[in-house]
Amino acid sequence: MDSDGTRDTRGTHANPVPRPAGPPVVPPRPARAPGVPPLPDGSGFLAWLRTPRPEAAPGVWRFGHRPRPEQEPERIPTRQLLSGAVIGFLCGWLLCSLLYNGFLGGFWLWPWFVMAPDSWTLGQAGWLSSLSYVYEVLFFAGIFAIFGKISRWGEVWRRFGPPAWRPKTDDSHEPPPTPEQDPVEWPQLRAAGAVDAAERLAADARAGVMRDVDHARILRAWQGVRGGRFSLATFTGTVLKDGAAACVHPSGARDLPGRIARHDLLTGQVRLGTTADDARNPYAYRGTGLGLDPELLGTSLVAVGPAGSGKTETVVRPLAESLCLHALAGRAAVVVVGAAGAGLGPADAYDVVVQIGNPESVYDLDLYGGTTDPDEAAAVLAEALVGDLAEPHQGGDTRRSTTVLAQLLGPFRAVHGRFPSVPELRQLLDGAPAPLAALRKGLQASGQESLLRELDARERQMGHPGDVGGILADRVALLDRPAFAAFFDTSGQSRPFSLKALDHPVRVRIDLPQRGHADASRMLARLVLAQFTASVAVREDRSLFACLVLDDATGVVTPEAVRGIQRLRSGNAGVVLTLRTLDDVPRPLRGPLLGATGCRMALSGLTPWDGQDFAEVWGKEWIEARDVTDRQIIAETPAGKVLHAVRQVITGKAPTARAVTVRQVERERWSASELAHGVPPGHAVLSLTSVKGEHAPPLLVDLRG
């Protein structure tokens, strides 16, 4: 069972081939995960697999997590703690001294008066004299124990004594799990009767030839067996034949080269940093790792921060790497879009690398998204061309643009059996007489009367002042450049990639030509986003998580894009968008964008006006506010006046009385000023929402931890 039939990438392997492409070359399966040295006994993988992962709040890194108490314990200030301990010791010493010297009487020696009233005195022979020493020691020790409890000596010992000097270690000594509970033994396979397959996988794990991707991939295949996609006999036969290399990804890869982030494929999380031990964070999150998984990315993520704040390095790259690992495990399909050289991972980490504007690129980009429906192609292309134009009179009404494109794409496909190339589409939109005449002649020859009426309507509209054909032609002209001459070919001579392949666990990276072609890059980014939202809505297998990672979404957010993002959650898909500032989004769309995404991140260096948008979407919370008022005390008697004068000379301040008022007030979780000036470098404030509706409040996160 090399594949279950739903994970083939339909010719999207990244093996270098000349243009036009020949048949793909499938590399041989590696005997071991590439780039990972074998462990003789597999102890590292076994320890990773057996590490506990307790249930936790959204965003908590579950690998080895230790839940904290529900209520935050009271932490006494150091000065108050030490002064109380010293005072408690002195009081205990004074009381013991007074009792020992008889200043408080001898009532505390009543046992010896009862048993031997004439022989309790120290120094007198007899066994009762020896016991009297023991009694005194125990009695005085009890006094010090009482004072120590009151003055919290135990807390002093834990905070400043030897327990605080030693590094914290895991002192839990749990017994080894039983075979029925040990994940290394694959108990779920044994319970279903696949004992031989479980034995083979357990042996490979102990031999050190299995890694986390192998475990996740085989577990995904087992879920396919339970879901009825293929039989238990097929699964068992494949596992017995290939062991840890069973059900391998169509690319043959079993790991990614040069991982940079910490991943836990058993929970699906990637660690982005550590939640700061800050009073503004909920107590349960302080000091815990922060991990994101498809359950959270399924609500989409938008990250806003200026250049140099770490969006690509600390957010986009780890998330892209995690999604590529999920794709190798058969769980996800990922498309990563960014500028060429943006550091989105090596080419070996992807199945398909589309380098638009680079003549050495193996793959092309399908301008029409792989569809054969002219109306669907027109709608997606119109969104890419004019979706960013805000005012309708500038051509921003994508419905009119869709109509214009459909009037040309339909007749052209009926005559030529394909959609027009970029130069051909530009000529048609410009109203060039020769292409339109040839198109009319072809329609008349084939008897396409309905499409002739579409073409007639297009020709009538060309002369009207409000026609958007000219604007569409100007936008298409951005792609009709020498740098893109070998791209967007529709004649079948290239190897175009279509987002229709997201039915399979494919890894795609699209490099945009930002340098010298900024407008074209933004238009292509809108095209990819529009094709992504249209493709995931009609997928057959929605058990596969699909994600689009868009590094720098400047000029990409449009009304239709926001509506598309809102629909992704129900299709088991999500997007990751990064922005330098919310000013790159039209003002009417900033609130809807933050409302449509469930995960929102504000990085350090945010502007106050950007912080205001985040503060509004995060809302307010009720807190306990303490108002302290100092009121000067006026002495009315001569003795009081003298005492106040002496006190003022000593302290340098007039005697005052302090009044404390506690009240409940509603305050912003994070104000615009705090987001602009209170987030340290390398940190971010992140709120989370899972596809199940679980929420995590805005958290201050150290992305470097």
Side-chain angles (χ1 to χ4, degrees):
M1 187 191 65
D2 297 338
S3 173
D4 63 359
T6 63
R7 299 203 299 273
D8 298 329
T9 52
R10 294 181 183 172
T12 55
H13 303 286
N15 311 106
V17 292
R19 300 166 69 99
V25 180
V26 180
R29 289 178 183 166
R32 188 181 303 113
V36 180
L39 294 174
D41 57 357
S43 57
F45 172 76
L46 300 183
W48 170 83
L49 193 58
R50 289 168 174 162
T51 300
R53 296 164 174 85
E55 293 294 330
V60 173
W61 176 254
R62 292 172 51 191
F63 180 79
H65 172 63
R66 291 184 176 181
R68 307 184 76 174
E70 294 184 1
Q71 297 294 332
E72 180 179 4
E74 180 184 5
R75 182 172 178 87
I76 304 171
T78 301
R79 179 178 178 181
Q80 179 182 348
L81 181 65
L82 294 178
S83 61
V86 172
I87 293 173
F89 176 79
L90 294 177
C91 290
W93 182 270
L94 177 61
L95 179 59
C96 292
S97 177
L98 293 176
L99 291 174
Y100 184 79
N101 292 293
F103 291 106
L104 299 180
F107 66 91
W108 59 285
L109 295 171
W110 63 270
W112 309 111
F113 284 113
V114 173
M115 290 185 293
D118 296 331
S119 60
W120 69 271
T121 309
L122 295 179
Q124 186 175 355
W127 62 275
L128 290 176
S129 299
S130 301
L131 289 179
S132 66
Y133 287 106
V134 178
Y135 175 77
E136 290 176 3
V137 171
L138 294 177
F139 188 84
F140 292 150
I143 293 176
F144 275 101
I146 294 174
F147 278 96
K149 183 68 173 179
I150 297 174
S151 53
R152 299 182 175 90
W153 290 357
E155 179 66 19
V156 175
W157 175 263
R158 288 188 295 271
R159 195 181 298 186
F160 304 103
W165 305 342
R166 297 190 298 268
K168 295 181 179 180
T169 58
D170 186 4
D171 54 357
S172 60
H173 300 284
E174 299 181 357
T178 62
E180 294 77 12
Q181 300 174 342
D182 192 354
V184 177
E185 301 294 335
W186 293 85
Q188 62 271 48
L189 270 66
R190 297 178 184 272
V195 179
D196 294 340
E199 292 288 350
R200 173 63 191 274
L201 295 175
D204 284 1
R206 295 190 186 93
V209 297
M210 179 178 286
R211 291 297 184 268
D212 54 351
V213 179
D214 299 326
H215 183 274
R217 186 185 64 250
I218 296 173
L219 190 61
R220 165 74 176 177
W222 173 249
Q223 293 172 354
V225 173
R226 300 192 63 180
R229 290 201 297 269
F230 44 83
S231 66
L232 177 61
T234 304
F235 172 82
T236 302
T238 303
V239 170
L240 291 177
K241 176 186 175 183
D242 299 325
C247 313
V248 73
H249 187 267
S251 67
R254 293 171 55 193
D255 204 352
L256 294 180
R259 296 191 194 181
I260 65 167
R262 291 184 60 187
H263 304 274
D264 183 23
L265 291 180
L266 205 58
T267 60
Q269 291 182 310
V270 54
R271 180 162 179 161
L272 293 189
T274 303
T275 307
D277 190 2
D278 189 273
R280 289 170 291 191
N281 287 336
Y283 173 70
Y285 280 93
R286 294 177 194 170
T288 64
L290 178 78
L292 298 186
D293 55 23
E295 286 286 322
L296 297 172
L297 296 180
T299 63
S300 298
L301 166 68
V302 60
V304 182
S309 58
K311 299 186 299 297
T312 301
E313 180 182 358
T314 61
V315 179
V316 173
R317 177 72 185 277
L319 290 178
E321 186 177 83
S322 174
L323 292 167
C324 286
L325 289 173
H326 281 290
L328 291 181
R331 297 174 174 176
V334 56
V335 179
V336 182
V337 182
L344 300 177
D348 294 343
Y350 296 91
D351 303 312
V352 175
V353 178
V354 182
Q355 298 173 301
I356 300 177
N358 186 350
E360 298 181 358
S361 177
V362 176
Y363 289 94
D364 195 355
L365 181 65
D366 193 332
L367 193 65
Y368 301 98
T371 183
T372 58
D373 183 1
D375 294 330
E376 181 181 349
V380 173
L381 191 57
E383 168 66 13
L385 294 177
V386 297
D388 61 324
L389 298 180
E391 297 297 332
H393 68 271
Q394 294 179 337
D397 190 348
T398 56
R399 289 175 296 180
R400 290 191 298 160
S401 301
T402 300
T403 302
V404 170
L405 289 171
Q407 289 171 342
L408 296 173
L409 296 182
F412 191 95
R413 181 172 180 81
V415 173
H416 299 280
R418 60 177 178 86
F419 288 122
S421 63
V422 170
E424 292 170 335
L425 181 60
R426 181 183 180 183
Q427 290 180 344
L428 292 174
L429 290 171
D430 275 333
L436 290 175
L439 194 59
R440 176 178 295 277
K441 184 177 179 181
L443 292 174
Q444 290 174 346
S446 59
Q448 301 281 349
E449 296 296 333
S450 61
L451 294 178
L452 272 173
R453 289 193 293 270
E454 293 282 339
L455 190 60
D456 291 339
R458 174 87 287 270
E459 291 179 342
R460 287 195 304 269
Q461 295 168 1
M462 285 180 184
H464 293 180
D467 181 45
V468 298
I471 297 176
L472 291 172
D474 293 340
R475 286 302 182 96
V476 173
L478 296 175
L479 302 179
D480 190 16
R481 310 298 301 167
F484 308 135
F487 289 86
F488 318 119
D489 181 65
T490 59
S491 63
Q493 298 301 310
S494 66
R495 196 175 186 184
F497 169 75
S498 167
L499 270 73
K500 295 291 185 181
L502 295 181
D503 275 335
H504 311 282
V506 62
R507 303 166 294 163
V508 183
R509 194 187 78 191
I510 301 177
D511 294 342
L512 301 178
Q514 292 274 0
R515 196 169 187 177
H517 302 279
D519 291 337
S521 295
R522 287 192 287 269
M523 188 165 60
L524 291 172
R526 288 195 301 272
L527 176 66
V528 174
L529 178 57
Q531 291 183 358
F532 178 82
T533 56
S535 299
V536 297
V538 295
R539 288 190 305 161
E540 297 179 0
D541 183 12
R542 295 195 178 186
S543 66
L544 199 69
F545 178 69
C547 188
L548 171 66
V549 181
L550 189 53
D551 189 29
D552 190 5
T554 301
V556 175
V557 180
T558 65
E560 186 59 35
V562 172
R563 287 189 287 268
I565 293 173
Q566 292 172 338
R567 295 190 296 265
L568 291 178
R569 185 183 306 189
S570 60
N572 193 22
V575 297
V576 177
L577 307 177
T578 67
L579 294 164
R580 294 187 180 92
T581 172
L582 287 176
D583 286 341
D584 293 333
V585 178
R587 164 56 66 180
L589 295 179
R590 296 177 193 175
L593 172 64
L594 294 176
T597 54
C599 304
R600 312 170 189 100
M601 177 182 289
L603 288 90
S604 61
L606 212 65
T607 59
W609 42 93
D610 282 349
Q612 185 62 41
D613 292 320
F614 279 99
E616 291 178 359
V617 74
W618 281 331
K620 300 180 179 181
E621 62 179 346
W622 288 98
I623 64 168
E624 188 178 84
R626 298 170 62 90
D627 296 332
V628 180
T629 304
D630 288 335
R631 178 180 59 84
Q632 184 175 356
I633 302 176
I634 306 299
E636 298 179 354
T637 62
K641 293 179 180 180
V642 172
L643 182 61
H644 285 190
V646 173
R647 181 176 175 182
Q648 186 170 3
V649 170
I650 296 174
T651 62
K653 299 179 180 178
T656 58
R658 175 170 293 183
V660 180
T661 303
V662 180
R663 55 195 177 91
Q664 294 288 328
V665 298
E666 194 176 20
R667 192 191 68 176
E668 291 177 326
R669 297 179 184 271
W670 279 83
S671 67
S673 179
E674 288 176 326
L675 289 171
H677 308 293
V679 180
H683 289 64
V685 180
L686 171 65
S687 65
L688 302 170
T689 304
S690 72
V691 293
K692 298 179 181 178
E694 299 174 321
H695 295 271
L699 306 170
L700 180 63
V701 180
D702 185 0
L703 298 176
R704 304 167 299 183

